Each structure stands twice: as structure tokens, then as C-alpha cells.
Amino acid sequence: MSKDNQILEEFTSKEYEHGWSVNYEADEAPVGLNEEIIRWISAKKEEPEWLLEWRLKAFRTWQTMEEPEWANIHYPKVDFQKLRYYSAPKQTKKPKSLDEVDPELLAIYERLGISLNEQKRLQGIAVDAVLDSVSVATTFKDTLAKLGIIFCSFSEAVKEHPELVKKYLGSVVPMTDNYYAALNSAVFSDGSFCYIPKGVRCPMELSTYFRINAANTGQFERTLIVAEDESYVSYLEGCTAPQRDENQLHAAVVEIYAAAHAEVKYSTVQNWFPGDKEGKGGIYNFVTKRGICAGDHSKISWTQVETGSAVTWKYPSCILKGDNSVGEFYSVAVTNNMQQADTGTKMIHIGKNTKSRIVSKGISAGKSQNSYRGQVQVMKRATNARNFSQCDSLLMGDRCGAHTFPYIDIQNPTAKVEHEATTSKIGEDQIFYCNQRGIDTEDAVALIVNGYAKEVLNQLPMEFAVEAQKLLALTLEGSVG
Amino acid sequence: MLTIKNLHASIEGTPILRGINLEVKAGEVHAIMGPNGSGKSTLASVLAGREEYEVTEGEVIFQGKDLLEMAPEDRAREGVFLAFQYPVEIPGVSSTNFLRTALNQVREYRGQEPLDAVKFLSLMKEKMKLVEIDQKLLSRSLNEGFSGGEKKRNEIFQMAMLEPTLSILDETDSGLDIDALRIVSNGVNQLKSDKNATIVVTHYQRLLDYIVPDYVHVLYKGRIVKSGTKELALELEEKGYDWIKEEVDSAAV
């Protein structure tokens, strides 16, 4: 084995840090999936009739659909009848404020380094925390309400703002868009809802933390962000899960609607349990994320740092409908050990002078497989559409794989589409150079990897960027030695 | 400071160094010269701890410690610095960030407090003058898109920042024009003191006009076959290496 490989071997042996679970009393749906379960969930959440009908329609369509097989990922099929579709920490009544939230639940988030109390308050980030299926607490609600901003759990939005939910739910990702989106539409339990009224710049980062805790439970959250004319919001999403031998399913849907001159930044640091070194356990992360730049001059920017999950299937996309609208996708996807990721984006240019930019940085170590899949589509009336795509792959060792699948479809001759791709290896030379200056190998790898991913990390809000940098180093720890 | 005794090293089973003996004292400058393929760069790499080279025999004692037992980063922290012949590029990592990481790890090893950003920057400003390096260059990705001269200057700048006890300059003159050569040599000369030592590995005498050695050693077929003062370098410049090769080869028969 060459030195490079030895180095990688050791550096990949790092264990998952968030692999603990807590025993709390849960309110659970019976295992399995049928119309009864969906009615049970809907009743549990005291939903209006239209939403139940919407769920049932999605479920009936889902039953006729096939699980997609085109992605470059391989895993045993999920038995949807063996999953539990609803698990909520038992609370006698809905908490009115953080003080009423079960301290044990708050302790879970404390342990993750997400303090719903003091810390975030000081940092000025509003947090909505979702445990298993339901939202536990949302901070800063009052401050935001003064500006007319709505930031709450999805269930609460259904109750308090049904007209908004009804108007936008499924407007960007139709309930039958794809297999997992249809499943999510049928069984989603909670999530976050965010509404920024016309002309308002949201003064703080809005943040959602998702955690799966219960065993054999699927997490199906739904996020809906609506930014009215000339508004701005930056939204952060983080996730962890305990370490279990069985695979757990996570199938979320995120919808973003941006009206004229609105801007939405959506950043994700995904750290679901990736499975152990042999590939046992881990989260199946099958997520549909899509935004529509509905109004002219609107902008949606996706930034993701993907380090977790056993299998990732995820393509945050932008529909550039408004003239002069802008879509961006910045991604770092790290796979180690037996992880598989098939991730990328779609940029659909419909309006005139629309612009999109894709920067994808894949890092593969161990025996993992890392694929970029991206689609750039320029429709007939999208005069002067511009796209720039850059897809880089970094390989650590010689047992991992990096793949790039770009699809380009141009129907307007004025379009300008550029695509650049590179593949490189972390070299023994680079590591030795760092060593010779007194930097040990783990720090050398962290330095090199963070340098490689810098363009993407720079897009993240400050405190998230620091977290992401540490996470990158942690994920690859032990893969070089 | 440095004692090399009967050092043998090979790469993938092929012996390159076949018994090097060398004694370097504090305050001295030693030049290692020799024809291509004589083992000059191998010697530099073995001292720095590059792992492709296998040490098959001999020992290296650096300030009373067994250098060959140490990991490359520990050798660096003990004060061994190698100015690379071909410095590598690290995209996305600025020279400043790189050096700060390095310097603070070295300081931690030596039980010193890490330097905060302000102190680090003022130290940088001071050392930048030595090699006439521009701050703009240091905020760019390490060595990426640097000219040959800029890379070498950056090496000497790093040396100035890390203040090594033993500096090994591996063909630092290669790829330098006369002005860059002067600047780099000036830097090296200003860093010289009676507490540190320098080993200059070079093929040409030219560099030794600027960095004047106390001793010159000629390496051939993995051994030091001739040692002398700087006059030996001049003689080599004039006559080439062939006469030494002949001397050695005929003696071996």
C-alpha cells in the first residue's frame, strides 16, 4: 500500500460524533403505511379536510409510482411497510414559550451544540428545532412578528395561516413530482414555514435543526419559504441522527417561492449518520429541494455542505421564470467509507436574461462513490440566458469514485453555457510539504480540503462556515495518516 | 549540531546514498555539490523525512536527538527546514493562512503561546522585507500561479518566519534569474547567525558567489568524494565534474 493510501486509511477511521439517542416518551403512529395511517396523522395534527384530501391524493399517486433507479447509488430497497411514519415527543400540551418545553428535549439540542436558549439568542439566529416528526420549539418569534415575518412550525402555519399554506404548498414541488416527494406529501409530519412580507429584509438568519431520534422512523419534513416582492431572507438548515444499525429514511421536501426582486439564500449543513465503516446503518437521504424565481429580478441561492448520510439523492434546483432572475448552487459533498452521494442541481431557464451559476466540489475518500448530476435547461423564450458550471472532484486514495453527469438542453440559440470540470488527488507531495513546515497530517488534510472547498464555504454565513470547516475535517479524519 | 554517520538510503530497492559522513556545526554553511544523479536531493529529502526513501544503514544525530526516528513534522518543529526545489501548490489556502497554521503548530510543540493575528501580521511584515516579497503574493493561494522566482522567494520567506536551526536549501538557485538569485541569497545571508547552520545543495557554483560556504563537499555515486573550502567550488566551475569522476572511478578499480 502506498503512503497516500495508508494516510487515507487512517484518516477515514473517525467515528460519527452525534451517534447517541435519548429515551423520551413518544407519541407514535403504528408501523406501516396505508390510508388509515395518513388519516391518523392528519387527525393527530387536527388538520383541515383539504389537507387530508391533498395527502390522500398524493398517497394514491405514490402507490402507482416506481422508485427511481437512474441515480448512481445502490442500496437495498426500503420496505415502506416496516417504517413508522409519525413519532412525536410526548408533551401534554403545546408549549407557549421555550420555558414550557420539556427540558430533556432542550437538552438534546444542547448536546448537539444548538442551544435554543441563551446562545442563539445572543447570536441572533432564530431557530426552529424539529425532533423526529414535530417541531419542538421556535425561537425569536415575537421579534420577527413585529416585522410581519412568519417563522413557525409547519403544523402551526396550517392552523394559523391556512390561506398562505394552501396557496403555496405544492406550488413549486407538485405533490406528484417524484416518488419521494409524493411520499412526503402523503405523510409529512412537520417542518418549518417562513413568510417574508413585501419589502422586508429579515434581520437575522433563520435556522432549522432536524434530528431523527426514534428507531425505524422515517422523517418527512416539509419546508416552505415564501419571499414576497423586494424581500430578503437567509435560511440555514442543519441535521443529525443517532447511530443505529438499521438504515433510516429521510425524505424531505423544501419549496422556495421568490417574488419580484426578492432574494432567498438557503444553506444546508447535512450531517446525518453516514453508517459505520462497513456501511452498516446510516440515513437514506432522499430529498427534493426546489425554488422558483417567480418574479423578475429575483434570486435564489442554494449552498450545501453534505458530509453525512449513507445514501444521498438530492438536487436543489431553481426554476428561473422571472426575467433577469438568478439561480445559484454551491455544493461541497464529502463521501467517506461506504457512503454514496448522487447530488447536483437543475437550473431551468424560462425568463429572459436569466443567469445561473453552479459550483460543485466533490470529495471522495475510503470506498465511497460521489456523483455530480446537473441539468441546465434553456427554454425557447429564455433569450440571453447564461450559465456557468464548475464541477471539481477531489479523490483521496484509489478505492473511491468520482463521477460527473452534466445534462445540457438548449432551445434558444442566444444562450451561453459554460462547463468546466477537474479531477485531482490529494498528493503525498502536498501533505509532505505541510509536514515539513511542522503541520501534522490531519491538519494538513483539513487545510488542503478546506482550501479546495473555499469557494463554497465562503457562501455560508460566518458561524455556519466555521462549523462546516470543522465538519469537513472531522468527516475525513482518519482517512490520511 | 548535525552528525551524519555512514548514511545509506535507497528508493524502491535502488541504493542512492552509499555511506554519507558529514559534520555540521552551528554557524557554518556547507555546500553540497555534485553531478546530476549523485544523490544531492536525496540527501536533502532523507534529512527532511520523505517516506519514499528507505534508510538502510547509518545514523543522523541532530542536536543530540536521533533525527531518523522522528516524523517529518517533528523534525520541522525541532528546527529542520527544507527549502524545496519544487514547492507544491495548495489551491484555496493562502500563504498567510498556511504559515500561521505552521508557525503555531511549531510554537505549540516548543511550549510557546500561539501568535494572535496582530502579532503574526507584524512578524510577517518584518520578515517580508528580507526577501522583498509583496503582501499581495502572500494573500494568494500558496504557490498557485507563482513564477519560479516567487516560489523560491516564498520558500525563503517561510524560512525567515519559522527561524529554523538547520536550513537545507535544495537547488534553490534553479530557475532563478540573476536578480531573484541576489534577493534570495540576501535573505539567506541575513538569516545566518552563529546559532544556526545552512546546507546549500546546488549543481552550480553561481549561488556560492552569493552564499559563501565554509565547506564544499562533492557528492558522487552516493558518497562524499571530496571536501574543501569555497576554492573547490571554483575549481569545479572551471573544470567540471569529470576529473573527479575519473579520480573516483579509477581509484575504485
PDB file of all heavy atoms in Angstrom, chain A residues 351-362:
ATOM      1  N   GLY A 351     -37.245  32.578 -18.132  1.00  0.00           N
ATOM      2  CA  GLY A 351     -37.317  34.012 -18.404  1.00  0.00           C
ATOM      3  C   GLY A 351     -36.116  34.514 -19.193  1.00  0.00           C
ATOM      4  O   GLY A 351     -35.098  33.833 -19.337  1.00  0.00           O
ATOM      5  N   LYS A 352     -36.261  35.748 -19.687  1.00  0.00           N
ATOM      6  CA  LYS A 352     -35.182  36.381 -20.454  1.00  0.00           C
ATOM      7  C   LYS A 352     -34.051  36.815 -19.517  1.00  0.00           C
ATOM      8  O   LYS A 352     -34.290  37.150 -18.361  1.00  0.00           O
ATOM      9  CB  LYS A 352     -35.710  37.627 -21.171  1.00  0.00           C
ATOM     10  CG  LYS A 352     -36.722  37.328 -22.249  1.00  0.00           C
ATOM     11  CD  LYS A 352     -37.091  38.626 -22.986  1.00  0.00           C
ATOM     12  CE  LYS A 352     -38.189  38.380 -23.995  1.00  0.00           C
ATOM     13  NZ  LYS A 352     -39.498  38.102 -23.335  1.00  0.00           N
ATOM     14  N   ASN A 353     -32.835  36.849 -20.044  1.00  0.00           N
ATOM     15  CA  ASN A 353     -31.661  37.315 -19.306  1.00  0.00           C
ATOM     16  C   ASN A 353     -31.493  36.617 -17.955  1.00  0.00           C
ATOM     17  O   ASN A 353     -31.022  37.217 -16.997  1.00  0.00           O
ATOM     18  CB  ASN A 353     -31.726  38.830 -19.058  1.00  0.00           C
ATOM     19  CG  ASN A 353     -31.927  39.612 -20.335  1.00  0.00           C
ATOM     20  OD1 ASN A 353     -31.278  39.306 -21.346  1.00  0.00           O
ATOM     21  ND2 ASN A 353     -32.841  40.565 -20.311  1.00  0.00           N
ATOM     22  N   THR A 354     -31.899  35.384 -17.885  1.00  0.00           N
ATOM     23  CA  THR A 354     -31.730  34.666 -16.620  1.00  0.00           C
ATOM     24  C   THR A 354     -30.303  34.130 -16.539  1.00  0.00           C
ATOM     25  O   THR A 354     -29.699  33.801 -17.556  1.00  0.00           O
ATOM     26  CB  THR A 354     -32.728  33.501 -16.517  1.00  0.00           C
ATOM     27  OG1 THR A 354     -32.732  32.804 -17.771  1.00  0.00           O
ATOM     28  CG2 THR A 354     -34.121  34.017 -16.235  1.00  0.00           C
ATOM     29  N   LYS A 355     -29.820  34.092 -15.302  1.00  0.00           N
ATOM     30  CA  LYS A 355     -28.438  33.656 -15.110  1.00  0.00           C
ATOM     31  C   LYS A 355     -28.372  32.567 -14.064  1.00  0.00           C
ATOM     32  O   LYS A 355     -29.074  32.629 -13.050  1.00  0.00           O
ATOM     33  CB  LYS A 355     -27.601  34.824 -14.563  1.00  0.00           C
ATOM     34  CG  LYS A 355     -27.082  35.746 -15.624  1.00  0.00           C
ATOM     35  CD  LYS A 355     -26.087  36.706 -14.985  1.00  0.00           C
ATOM     36  CE  LYS A 355     -26.124  38.032 -15.690  1.00  0.00           C
ATOM     37  NZ  LYS A 355     -25.928  39.148 -14.802  1.00  0.00           N
ATOM     38  N   SER A 356     -27.505  31.589 -14.267  1.00  0.00           N
ATOM     39  CA  SER A 356     -27.297  30.592 -13.216  1.00  0.00           C
ATOM     40  C   SER A 356     -25.820  30.280 -13.093  1.00  0.00           C
ATOM     41  O   SER A 356     -25.051  30.390 -14.044  1.00  0.00           O
ATOM     42  CB  SER A 356     -28.091  29.322 -13.498  1.00  0.00           C
ATOM     43  OG  SER A 356     -27.663  28.714 -14.686  1.00  0.00           O
ATOM     44  N   ARG A 357     -25.465  29.891 -11.876  1.00  0.00           N
ATOM     45  CA  ARG A 357     -24.070  29.578 -11.589  1.00  0.00           C
ATOM     46  C   ARG A 357     -24.043  28.318 -10.727  1.00  0.00           C
ATOM     47  O   ARG A 357     -24.758  28.222  -9.724  1.00  0.00           O
ATOM     48  CB  ARG A 357     -23.452  30.751 -10.834  1.00  0.00           C
ATOM     49  CG  ARG A 357     -22.008  30.576 -10.487  1.00  0.00           C
ATOM     50  CD  ARG A 357     -21.487  31.826  -9.770  1.00  0.00           C
ATOM     51  NE  ARG A 357     -20.134  31.622  -9.350  1.00  0.00           N
ATOM     52  CZ  ARG A 357     -19.085  31.819 -10.144  1.00  0.00           C
ATOM     53  NH1 ARG A 357     -19.251  32.280 -11.359  1.00  0.00           N
ATOM     54  NH2 ARG A 357     -17.860  31.576  -9.704  1.00  0.00           N
ATOM     55  N   ILE A 358     -23.232  27.371 -11.131  1.00  0.00           N
ATOM     56  CA  ILE A 358     -23.133  26.104 -10.395  1.00  0.00           C
ATOM     57  C   ILE A 358     -21.678  25.873 -10.022  1.00  0.00           C
ATOM     58  O   ILE A 358     -20.811  25.882 -10.888  1.00  0.00           O
ATOM     59  CB  ILE A 358     -23.610  24.922 -11.277  1.00  0.00           C
ATOM     60  CG1 ILE A 358     -25.072  25.112 -11.679  1.00  0.00           C
ATOM     61  CG2 ILE A 358     -23.402  23.592 -10.571  1.00  0.00           C
ATOM     62  CD1 ILE A 358     -25.553  24.137 -12.743  1.00  0.00           C
ATOM     63  N   VAL A 359     -21.413  25.726  -8.729  1.00  0.00           N
ATOM     64  CA  VAL A 359     -20.061  25.375  -8.297  1.00  0.00           C
ATOM     65  C   VAL A 359     -20.175  24.135  -7.421  1.00  0.00           C
ATOM     66  O   VAL A 359     -20.749  24.179  -6.341  1.00  0.00           O
ATOM     67  CB  VAL A 359     -19.388  26.517  -7.500  1.00  0.00           C
ATOM     68  CG1 VAL A 359     -18.014  26.085  -7.021  1.00  0.00           C
ATOM     69  CG2 VAL A 359     -19.291  27.776  -8.355  1.00  0.00           C
ATOM     70  N   SER A 360     -19.688  23.020  -7.921  1.00  0.00           N
ATOM     71  CA  SER A 360     -19.819  21.773  -7.183  1.00  0.00           C
ATOM     72  C   SER A 360     -18.438  21.202  -6.885  1.00  0.00           C
ATOM     73  O   SER A 360     -17.605  21.056  -7.771  1.00  0.00           O
ATOM     74  CB  SER A 360     -20.625  20.784  -8.019  1.00  0.00           C
ATOM     75  OG  SER A 360     -20.443  19.486  -7.518  1.00  0.00           O
ATOM     76  N   LYS A 361     -18.202  20.914  -5.605  1.00  0.00           N
ATOM     77  CA  LYS A 361     -16.910  20.360  -5.193  1.00  0.00           C
ATOM     78  C   LYS A 361     -17.148  19.021  -4.519  1.00  0.00           C
ATOM     79  O   LYS A 361     -17.722  18.962  -3.437  1.00  0.00           O
ATOM     80  CB  LYS A 361     -16.240  21.298  -4.183  1.00  0.00           C
ATOM     81  CG  LYS A 361     -16.050  22.725  -4.686  1.00  0.00           C
ATOM     82  CD  LYS A 361     -14.698  22.893  -5.294  1.00  0.00           C
ATOM     83  CE  LYS A 361     -14.483  24.301  -5.804  1.00  0.00           C
ATOM     84  NZ  LYS A 361     -13.158  24.461  -6.390  1.00  0.00           N
ATOM     85  N   GLY A 362     -16.789  17.966  -5.173  1.00  0.00           N
ATOM     86  CA  GLY A 362     -16.941  16.637  -4.588  1.00  0.00           C
ATOM     87  C   GLY A 362     -15.632  16.192  -3.954  1.00  0.00           C
ATOM     88  O   GLY A 362     -14.555  16.464  -4.481  1.00  0.00           O
TER      89      GLY A 362
END
